[in-house]
Short mmCIF file of all heavy atoms in Angstrom, two decimals:
data_model
loop_
_atom_site.label_atom_id
_atom_site.label_comp_id
_atom_site.label_asym_id
_atom_site.label_seq_id
_atom_site.Cartn_x
_atom_site.Cartn_y
_atom_site.Cartn_z
N GLU A 1 65.48 74.35 100.79
CA GLU A 1 66.76 74.60 101.39
C GLU A 1 66.67 75.14 102.76
O GLU A 1 67.58 74.75 103.62
CB GLU A 1 67.60 75.46 100.41
CG GLU A 1 68.93 75.72 100.82
CD GLU A 1 69.68 76.48 99.73
OE1 GLU A 1 69.55 76.17 98.46
OE2 GLU A 1 70.34 77.42 100.16
N ALA A 2 65.73 76.08 103.07
CA ALA A 2 65.65 76.59 104.35
C ALA A 2 65.22 75.49 105.34
O ALA A 2 65.68 75.50 106.49
CB ALA A 2 64.56 77.69 104.33
N GLY A 3 64.41 74.67 104.89
CA GLY A 3 63.95 73.51 105.76
C GLY A 3 65.10 72.67 106.21
O GLY A 3 65.31 72.22 107.30
N ALA A 4 66.04 72.40 105.25
CA ALA A 4 67.34 71.64 105.49
C ALA A 4 68.19 72.30 106.56
O ALA A 4 68.68 71.69 107.39
CB ALA A 4 67.98 71.25 104.16
N SER A 5 68.26 73.57 106.31
CA SER A 5 69.07 74.43 107.27
C SER A 5 68.57 74.36 108.69
O SER A 5 69.30 74.21 109.65
CB SER A 5 69.16 75.85 106.86
OG SER A 5 69.86 75.95 105.62
N VAL A 6 67.20 74.51 108.87
CA VAL A 6 66.49 74.42 110.02
C VAL A 6 66.74 72.96 110.67
O VAL A 6 67.01 72.85 111.86
CB VAL A 6 65.02 74.75 109.92
CG1 VAL A 6 64.29 74.49 111.25
CG2 VAL A 6 64.91 76.21 109.63
N ALA A 7 66.63 71.95 109.80
CA ALA A 7 66.78 70.57 110.36
C ALA A 7 68.23 70.36 110.78
O ALA A 7 68.43 69.78 111.85
CB ALA A 7 66.45 69.58 109.23
N ALA A 8 69.16 70.89 110.02
CA ALA A 8 70.62 70.75 110.47
C ALA A 8 70.79 71.47 111.83
O ALA A 8 71.53 70.98 112.69
CB ALA A 8 71.51 71.28 109.28
N ALA A 9 70.27 72.68 111.84
CA ALA A 9 70.54 73.49 113.05
C ALA A 9 69.80 72.86 114.26
O ALA A 9 70.33 72.83 115.35
CB ALA A 9 70.01 74.92 112.89
N SER A 10 68.71 72.20 114.05
CA SER A 10 68.02 71.52 115.06
C SER A 10 68.80 70.28 115.54
O SER A 10 68.97 69.99 116.74
CB SER A 10 66.61 71.02 114.59
OG SER A 10 65.79 72.10 114.40
N GLU A 11 69.35 69.62 114.68
CA GLU A 11 70.29 68.44 115.09
C GLU A 11 71.39 68.80 115.77
O GLU A 11 71.86 68.16 116.81
CB GLU A 11 70.61 67.65 113.74
CG GLU A 11 69.50 66.91 113.01
CD GLU A 11 69.93 66.27 111.77
OE1 GLU A 11 71.10 66.06 111.55
OE2 GLU A 11 69.13 65.78 110.96
N GLU A 12 72.00 70.07 115.35
CA GLU A 12 73.24 70.50 116.12
C GLU A 12 72.71 70.93 117.55
O GLU A 12 73.47 70.68 118.47
CB GLU A 12 73.80 71.70 115.35
CG GLU A 12 74.57 71.28 114.14
CD GLU A 12 75.08 72.46 113.37
OE1 GLU A 12 75.37 73.46 113.98
OE2 GLU A 12 75.41 72.33 112.19
N MET A 13 71.58 71.54 117.70
CA MET A 13 71.13 71.92 118.98
C MET A 13 70.89 70.72 119.87
O MET A 13 71.20 70.66 120.99
CB MET A 13 69.84 72.72 118.79
CG MET A 13 69.29 73.27 120.02
SD MET A 13 70.26 74.41 120.90
CE MET A 13 69.99 75.89 119.95
N VAL A 14 70.23 69.75 119.25
CA VAL A 14 69.99 68.43 120.11
C VAL A 14 71.35 67.81 120.50
O VAL A 14 71.45 67.43 121.68
CB VAL A 14 69.16 67.47 119.22
CG1 VAL A 14 69.10 66.10 119.89
CG2 VAL A 14 67.74 67.99 119.08
N ALA A 15 72.30 67.82 119.66
CA ALA A 15 73.63 67.26 119.92
C ALA A 15 74.25 68.03 121.05
O ALA A 15 74.81 67.52 122.01
CB ALA A 15 74.55 67.19 118.69
N ALA A 16 74.16 69.47 120.98
CA ALA A 16 74.74 70.31 121.96
C ALA A 16 74.16 70.10 123.35
O ALA A 16 74.76 70.05 124.34
CB ALA A 16 74.66 71.74 121.47
N VAL A 17 72.77 69.98 123.28
CA VAL A 17 72.06 69.78 124.55
C VAL A 17 72.33 68.47 125.21
O VAL A 17 72.55 68.30 126.40
CB VAL A 17 70.49 69.92 124.39
CG1 VAL A 17 69.67 69.50 125.63
CG2 VAL A 17 70.16 71.43 123.98
N GLY A 18 72.53 67.48 124.33
CA GLY A 18 72.95 66.18 124.76
C GLY A 18 74.31 66.21 125.43
O GLY A 18 74.59 65.51 126.52
N HIS A 19 75.24 66.90 124.83
CA HIS A 19 76.61 67.04 125.38
C HIS A 19 76.51 67.83 126.67
O HIS A 19 77.19 67.33 127.63
CB HIS A 19 77.48 67.84 124.42
CG HIS A 19 78.82 68.07 124.85
ND1 HIS A 19 79.79 67.00 124.93
CD2 HIS A 19 79.49 69.10 125.25
CE1 HIS A 19 80.94 67.49 125.45
NE2 HIS A 19 80.77 68.80 125.65
N VAL A 20 75.91 68.73 126.79
CA VAL A 20 75.69 69.66 128.00
C VAL A 20 75.07 68.69 129.14
O VAL A 20 75.45 68.58 130.25
CB VAL A 20 74.93 70.83 127.85
CG1 VAL A 20 74.57 71.47 129.17
CG2 VAL A 20 75.57 71.88 127.04
N SER A 21 74.06 67.88 128.82
CA SER A 21 73.40 67.07 129.70
C SER A 21 74.40 66.04 130.22
O SER A 21 74.42 65.72 131.48
CB SER A 21 72.21 66.38 129.02
OG SER A 21 71.64 65.51 129.86
N ALA A 22 75.19 65.42 129.33
CA ALA A 22 76.19 64.48 129.72
C ALA A 22 77.23 65.07 130.76
O ALA A 22 77.54 64.46 131.73
CB ALA A 22 76.97 63.82 128.63
N ARG A 23 77.63 66.33 130.52
CA ARG A 23 78.60 67.08 131.33
C ARG A 23 77.97 67.26 132.67
O ARG A 23 78.56 67.21 133.74
CB ARG A 23 79.11 68.34 130.66
CG ARG A 23 79.82 68.15 129.40
CD ARG A 23 81.24 67.50 129.56
NE ARG A 23 82.02 68.31 130.42
CZ ARG A 23 83.22 68.08 130.81
NH1 ARG A 23 83.77 66.86 130.43
NH2 ARG A 23 83.97 68.85 131.46
N VAL A 24 76.74 67.72 132.71
CA VAL A 24 76.07 67.91 133.98
C VAL A 24 75.96 66.69 134.80
O VAL A 24 76.25 66.63 136.01
CB VAL A 24 74.63 68.59 133.70
CG1 VAL A 24 73.80 68.56 135.02
CG2 VAL A 24 74.80 70.00 133.14
N SER A 25 75.69 65.58 134.10
CA SER A 25 75.57 64.24 134.86
C SER A 25 76.91 63.86 135.47
O SER A 25 76.98 63.45 136.59
CB SER A 25 75.07 63.27 133.85
OG SER A 25 73.71 63.43 133.55
N GLU A 26 77.98 64.18 134.65
CA GLU A 26 79.31 63.87 135.14
C GLU A 26 79.63 64.70 136.33
O GLU A 26 80.27 64.18 137.42
CB GLU A 26 80.34 64.12 134.15
CG GLU A 26 80.46 63.10 132.99
CD GLU A 26 81.27 63.66 131.83
OE1 GLU A 26 82.05 64.54 131.98
OE2 GLU A 26 81.13 62.89 130.75
N GLN A 27 79.22 66.02 136.35
CA GLN A 27 79.57 66.90 137.51
C GLN A 27 78.55 66.54 138.64
O GLN A 27 79.22 66.56 139.79
CB GLN A 27 79.24 68.33 137.06
CG GLN A 27 80.16 68.92 135.99
CD GLN A 27 81.65 68.73 136.47
OE1 GLN A 27 81.94 69.07 137.59
NE2 GLN A 27 82.48 68.30 135.62
N VAL A 28 77.43 66.17 138.49
CA VAL A 28 76.59 65.65 139.54
C VAL A 28 77.24 64.43 140.19
O VAL A 28 77.37 64.33 141.47
CB VAL A 28 75.12 65.37 139.10
CG1 VAL A 28 74.37 64.53 140.16
CG2 VAL A 28 74.48 66.70 138.73
N SER A 29 77.78 63.51 139.44
CA SER A 29 78.31 62.34 139.94
C SER A 29 79.60 62.68 140.76
O SER A 29 79.87 62.14 141.85
CB SER A 29 78.72 61.28 138.82
OG SER A 29 79.38 60.22 139.26
N ALA A 30 80.43 63.57 140.24
CA ALA A 30 81.62 64.00 140.90
C ALA A 30 81.30 64.69 142.25
O ALA A 30 81.94 64.57 143.21
CB ALA A 30 82.44 64.93 139.99
N SER A 31 80.27 65.57 142.23
CA SER A 31 79.84 66.22 143.43
C SER A 31 79.30 65.18 144.48
O SER A 31 79.66 65.39 145.67
CB SER A 31 78.72 67.21 143.13
OG SER A 31 79.11 68.22 142.44
N GLU A 32 78.56 64.14 143.96
CA GLU A 32 78.21 63.13 144.99
C GLU A 32 79.35 62.39 145.63
O GLU A 32 79.34 62.05 146.80
CB GLU A 32 77.09 62.17 144.34
CG GLU A 32 75.80 62.87 143.99
CD GLU A 32 74.84 62.01 143.17
OE1 GLU A 32 75.35 60.89 142.66
OE2 GLU A 32 73.76 62.37 142.96
N THR A 33 80.35 62.13 144.79
CA THR A 33 81.46 61.39 145.22
C THR A 33 82.27 62.27 146.23
O THR A 33 82.64 61.74 147.28
CB THR A 33 82.44 61.02 143.98
OG1 THR A 33 81.71 60.17 143.14
CG2 THR A 33 83.64 60.37 144.57
N ALA A 34 82.34 63.55 145.94
CA ALA A 34 83.04 64.45 146.90
C ALA A 34 82.24 64.52 148.23
O ALA A 34 82.85 64.56 149.30
CB ALA A 34 83.27 65.85 146.30
N ARG A 35 80.92 64.51 148.16
CA ARG A 35 80.16 64.74 149.30
C ARG A 35 80.28 63.41 150.22
O ARG A 35 80.48 63.45 151.52
CB ARG A 35 78.73 64.77 148.95
CG ARG A 35 77.66 65.05 150.24
CD ARG A 35 76.34 64.62 150.04
NE ARG A 35 76.19 63.26 149.50
CZ ARG A 35 76.24 62.20 150.21
NH1 ARG A 35 76.53 62.19 151.45
NH2 ARG A 35 76.07 60.97 149.66
N ALA A 36 80.32 62.34 149.54
CA ALA A 36 80.49 61.06 150.37
C ALA A 36 81.81 61.05 150.93
O ALA A 36 81.94 60.52 152.04
CB ALA A 36 80.25 59.80 149.35
N SER A 37 82.85 61.36 150.19
CA SER A 37 84.18 61.55 150.75
C SER A 37 84.32 62.45 151.93
O SER A 37 85.04 62.07 153.01
CB SER A 37 85.14 61.91 149.61
OG SER A 37 86.57 61.90 150.09
N ALA A 38 83.74 63.50 151.85
CA ALA A 38 83.71 64.52 153.03
C ALA A 38 83.02 63.94 154.22
O ALA A 38 83.41 64.14 155.26
CB ALA A 38 83.01 65.78 152.55
N GLU A 39 81.83 63.21 153.95
CA GLU A 39 81.15 62.62 155.08
C GLU A 39 82.03 61.53 155.78
O GLU A 39 82.03 61.40 156.91
CB GLU A 39 79.83 62.00 154.64
CG GLU A 39 78.97 61.35 155.70
CD GLU A 39 78.57 62.23 156.83
OE1 GLU A 39 78.53 63.44 156.64
OE2 GLU A 39 78.41 61.72 157.96
N GLU A 40 82.73 60.75 154.99
CA GLU A 40 83.62 59.69 155.49
C GLU A 40 84.77 60.23 156.30
O GLU A 40 85.13 59.81 157.37
CB GLU A 40 84.21 58.84 154.30
CG GLU A 40 84.98 57.72 154.75
CD GLU A 40 85.52 56.94 153.59
OE1 GLU A 40 84.66 56.76 152.59
OE2 GLU A 40 86.66 56.25 153.75
N THR A 41 85.31 61.45 155.81
CA THR A 41 86.31 62.10 156.51
C THR A 41 85.85 62.68 157.81
O THR A 41 86.53 62.64 158.82
CB THR A 41 86.95 63.21 155.64
OG1 THR A 41 87.51 62.71 154.43
CG2 THR A 41 88.06 64.01 156.36
N ARG A 42 84.57 63.28 157.83
CA ARG A 42 84.04 63.82 159.00
C ARG A 42 83.88 62.70 160.14
O ARG A 42 84.18 62.84 161.29
CB ARG A 42 82.68 64.38 158.76
CG ARG A 42 82.07 65.11 159.91
CD ARG A 42 80.57 65.35 159.81
NE ARG A 42 79.82 63.99 159.68
CZ ARG A 42 79.58 63.29 160.71
NH1 ARG A 42 80.05 63.54 161.95
NH2 ARG A 42 78.88 62.11 160.49
N ARG A 43 83.34 61.56 159.64
CA ARG A 43 83.25 60.41 160.54
C ARG A 43 84.50 60.06 161.21
O ARG A 43 84.67 59.66 162.37
CB ARG A 43 82.47 59.19 159.84
CG ARG A 43 81.05 59.29 159.93
CD ARG A 43 80.48 58.00 159.52
NE ARG A 43 80.76 57.59 158.05
CZ ARG A 43 79.91 57.82 157.15
NH1 ARG A 43 78.59 58.21 157.32
NH2 ARG A 43 80.24 57.54 155.88
N ALA A 44 85.60 59.84 160.31
CA ALA A 44 86.91 59.50 160.75
C ALA A 44 87.43 60.45 161.65
O ALA A 44 88.02 60.10 162.78
CB ALA A 44 87.84 59.32 159.54
N LEU A 45 87.35 61.67 161.49
CA LEU A 45 87.79 62.77 162.38
C LEU A 45 87.00 62.59 163.75
O LEU A 45 87.60 62.92 164.87
CB LEU A 45 87.56 64.17 161.87
CG LEU A 45 88.61 64.45 160.71
CD1 LEU A 45 88.29 65.75 160.11
CD2 LEU A 45 90.02 64.32 161.27
N ALA A 46 85.74 62.41 163.71
CA ALA A 46 84.95 62.22 164.97
C ALA A 46 85.51 61.02 165.73
O ALA A 46 85.56 61.17 166.94
CB ALA A 46 83.47 62.14 164.64
N GLU A 47 85.77 59.93 165.08
CA GLU A 47 86.25 58.82 165.82
C GLU A 47 87.68 59.08 166.36
O GLU A 47 88.05 58.68 167.43
CB GLU A 47 86.38 57.68 164.79
CG GLU A 47 85.08 57.02 164.47
CD GLU A 47 85.08 55.83 163.35
OE1 GLU A 47 86.26 55.44 163.25
OE2 GLU A 47 84.11 55.60 162.85
N LEU A 48 88.55 59.82 165.62
CA LEU A 48 89.88 60.19 166.02
C LEU A 48 89.71 61.17 167.26
O LEU A 48 90.46 60.92 168.31
CB LEU A 48 90.52 60.89 164.95
CG LEU A 48 92.01 61.37 165.24
CD1 LEU A 48 92.84 60.19 165.51
CD2 LEU A 48 92.59 62.09 164.11
N ALA A 49 88.77 62.02 167.29
CA ALA A 49 88.60 62.87 168.43
C ALA A 49 88.14 62.09 169.67
O ALA A 49 88.72 62.38 170.74
CB ALA A 49 87.53 63.97 168.26
N ALA A 50 87.28 61.14 169.48
CA ALA A 50 86.87 60.31 170.53
C ALA A 50 87.95 59.52 171.11
O ALA A 50 88.16 59.33 172.37
CB ALA A 50 85.66 59.34 170.11
N SER A 51 88.77 58.93 170.25
CA SER A 51 89.99 58.25 170.68
C SER A 51 91.02 59.02 171.42
O SER A 51 91.59 58.68 172.49
CB SER A 51 90.67 57.59 169.51
OG SER A 51 89.91 56.58 168.84
N ALA A 52 91.16 60.26 170.94
CA ALA A 52 91.99 61.26 171.67
C ALA A 52 91.48 61.53 173.09
O ALA A 52 92.25 61.63 174.12
CB ALA A 52 92.15 62.56 170.86
N GLU A 53 90.20 61.69 173.29
CA GLU A 53 89.56 61.88 174.65
C GLU A 53 89.90 60.62 175.45
O GLU A 53 90.17 60.80 176.66
CB GLU A 53 88.12 62.13 174.51
CG GLU A 53 87.84 63.42 173.93
CD GLU A 53 86.30 63.75 173.76
OE1 GLU A 53 85.48 62.98 174.26
OE2 GLU A 53 85.95 64.66 172.96
N ASP A 54 89.78 59.45 174.91
CA ASP A 54 89.94 58.27 175.73
C ASP A 54 91.46 58.13 176.08
O ASP A 54 91.78 57.83 177.26
CB ASP A 54 89.66 56.94 174.85
CG ASP A 54 88.23 56.74 174.59
OD1 ASP A 54 87.35 57.50 175.21
OD2 ASP A 54 87.90 56.03 173.65
N ILE A 55 92.28 58.47 175.18
CA ILE A 55 93.72 58.49 175.50
C ILE A 55 94.06 59.55 176.67
O ILE A 55 94.81 59.17 177.57
CB ILE A 55 94.65 58.77 174.27
CG1 ILE A 55 94.63 57.62 173.34
CG2 ILE A 55 96.07 59.16 174.64
CD1 ILE A 55 95.13 57.94 172.04
N ALA A 56 93.44 60.73 176.59
CA ALA A 56 93.59 61.74 177.59
C ALA A 56 93.09 61.19 178.87
O ALA A 56 93.76 61.51 180.04
CB ALA A 56 92.82 62.99 177.25
N SER A 57 92.03 60.52 178.96
CA SER A 57 91.53 59.93 180.28
C SER A 57 92.47 58.96 180.78
O SER A 57 92.69 58.96 182.01
CB SER A 57 90.16 59.20 179.89
OG SER A 57 89.09 60.16 179.56
N VAL A 58 93.01 57.98 179.95
CA VAL A 58 93.96 57.01 180.39
C VAL A 58 95.22 57.78 180.93
O VAL A 58 95.76 57.41 182.08
CB VAL A 58 94.29 56.08 179.33
CG1 VAL A 58 95.47 55.14 179.71
CG2 VAL A 58 93.14 55.15 179.08
N ALA A 59 95.69 58.80 180.14
CA ALA A 59 96.92 59.47 180.76
C ALA A 59 96.65 60.15 182.10
O ALA A 59 97.51 60.15 182.97
CB ALA A 59 97.20 60.61 179.66
N THR A 60 95.41 60.73 182.31
CA THR A 60 95.02 61.25 183.61
C THR A 60 95.00 60.28 184.66
O THR A 60 95.54 60.49 185.79
CB THR A 60 93.74 62.00 183.48
OG1 THR A 60 93.74 63.09 182.53
CG2 THR A 60 93.34 62.56 184.81
N LEU A 61 94.51 59.12 184.38
CA LEU A 61 94.49 57.98 185.32
C LEU A 61 95.91 57.59 185.71
O LEU A 61 96.22 57.36 186.93
CB LEU A 61 93.64 56.86 184.81
CG LEU A 61 93.65 55.55 185.59
CD1 LEU A 61 92.88 55.85 186.96
CD2 LEU A 61 92.99 54.45 184.89
N ILE A 62 96.75 57.49 184.71
CA ILE A 62 98.14 57.15 184.97
C ILE A 62 98.84 58.13 185.94
O ILE A 62 99.59 57.79 186.85
CB ILE A 62 98.83 56.86 183.66
CG1 ILE A 62 98.40 55.66 182.96
CG2 ILE A 62 100.42 56.76 183.94
CD1 ILE A 62 98.96 55.50 181.57
N GLN A 63 98.55 59.41 185.62
CA GLN A 63 99.14 60.51 186.46
C GLN A 63 98.66 60.32 187.76
O GLN A 63 99.44 60.64 188.78
CB GLN A 63 98.86 61.91 185.87
CG GLN A 63 99.63 62.17 184.63
CD GLN A 63 99.23 63.50 184.07
OE1 GLN A 63 98.03 63.97 184.19
NE2 GLN A 63 100.03 64.04 183.16
N ASP A 64 97.37 60.18 188.04
CA ASP A 64 96.74 59.97 189.34
C ASP A 64 97.41 58.87 190.11
O ASP A 64 97.67 58.88 191.30
CB ASP A 64 95.23 59.80 189.25
CG ASP A 64 94.48 61.14 188.89
OD1 ASP A 64 95.13 62.15 188.87
OD2 ASP A 64 93.39 60.95 188.43
N ILE A 65 97.48 57.70 189.45
CA ILE A 65 98.17 56.54 190.12
C ILE A 65 99.65 56.83 190.49
O ILE A 65 100.12 56.57 191.48
CB ILE A 65 98.11 55.32 189.08
CG1 ILE A 65 96.60 54.90 188.96
CG2 ILE A 65 98.95 54.19 189.60
CD1 ILE A 65 96.39 53.83 187.99
N ALA A 66 100.34 57.57 189.53
CA ALA A 66 101.64 57.88 189.86
C ALA A 66 101.87 58.82 191.00
O ALA A 66 102.66 58.67 191.93
CB ALA A 66 102.34 58.58 188.60
N ALA A 67 100.85 59.74 191.19
CA ALA A 67 100.90 60.70 192.20
C ALA A 67 100.54 59.98 193.56
O ALA A 67 101.25 60.15 194.61
CB ALA A 67 99.85 61.81 192.01
N ASN A 68 99.65 59.05 193.46
CA ASN A 68 99.29 58.23 194.74
C ASN A 68 100.39 57.39 195.03
O ASN A 68 100.75 57.18 196.22
CB ASN A 68 97.97 57.44 194.55
CG ASN A 68 96.74 58.34 194.50
OD1 ASN A 68 96.86 59.34 195.17
ND2 ASN A 68 95.79 57.82 193.75
N THR A 69 101.12 56.72 194.07
CA THR A 69 102.41 55.93 194.34
C THR A 69 103.41 56.72 195.07
O THR A 69 104.01 56.23 195.97
CB THR A 69 102.82 55.31 193.11
OG1 THR A 69 101.76 54.52 192.49
CG2 THR A 69 104.13 54.46 193.32
N ASN A 70 103.58 57.96 194.66
CA ASN A 70 104.62 58.83 195.21
C ASN A 70 104.27 59.18 196.70
O ASN A 70 105.21 59.27 197.48
CB ASN A 70 104.79 60.08 194.45
CG ASN A 70 105.57 59.92 193.17
OD1 ASN A 70 106.28 58.89 193.05
ND2 ASN A 70 105.38 60.76 192.24
N LEU A 71 103.00 59.27 196.91
CA LEU A 71 102.62 59.59 198.38
C LEU A 71 102.88 58.43 199.32
O LEU A 71 103.16 58.58 200.35
CB LEU A 71 101.06 60.00 198.39
CG LEU A 71 100.70 61.21 197.77
CD1 LEU A 71 99.16 61.38 197.80
CD2 LEU A 71 101.24 62.33 198.61
N LEU A 72 102.75 57.25 198.70
CA LEU A 72 103.03 55.93 199.51
C LEU A 72 104.55 55.76 199.59
O LEU A 72 104.94 54.98 200.58
CB LEU A 72 102.37 54.81 198.88
CG LEU A 72 100.83 54.71 198.72
CD1 LEU A 72 100.43 53.56 197.81
CD2 LEU A 72 100.26 54.79 200.09
N ALA A 73 105.35 56.20 198.86
CA ALA A 73 106.79 55.96 198.91
C ALA A 73 107.57 56.64 200.01
O ALA A 73 107.20 57.45 200.69
CB ALA A 73 107.47 56.39 197.52
#
């Protein structure tokens, strides 16, 4: 009877460890997905910042042209 109790407890322990292992795997997967999403967001923001710099350069050029045009008028 004691052997059966030990066997049952061992089976429960194995099942519990399997459940914990599955949950850890799910969390690792979720973390990897979050990391990838954060990296994609970082890249998109870097591209947006570069575009904003390009727009600022064009705006400065337009202002310079406008100032020169006013000098000629």
Side-chain angles (χ1 to χ4, degrees):
E1 189 173 309
S5 293
V6 170
S10 294
E11 288 178 14
E12 288 179 21
M13 181 65 77
V14 168
V17 168
H19 179 70
V20 169
S21 177
R23 296 293 294 179
V24 167
S25 292
E26 290 172 7
Q27 293 303 315
V28 167
S29 179
S31 294
E32 289 172 352
T33 300
R35 184 205 54 78
S37 180
E39 179 61 24
E40 184 177 329
T41 300
R42 186 201 62 76
R43 274 193 294 257
L45 288 174
E47 290 177 13
L48 182 60
S51 294
E53 289 178 15
D54 290 345
I55 291 169
S57 294
V58 170
T60 299
L61 177 62
I62 291 170
Q63 287 175 341
D64 290 346
I65 291 171
N68 287 333
T69 301
N70 286 338
L71 290 175
L72 294 174

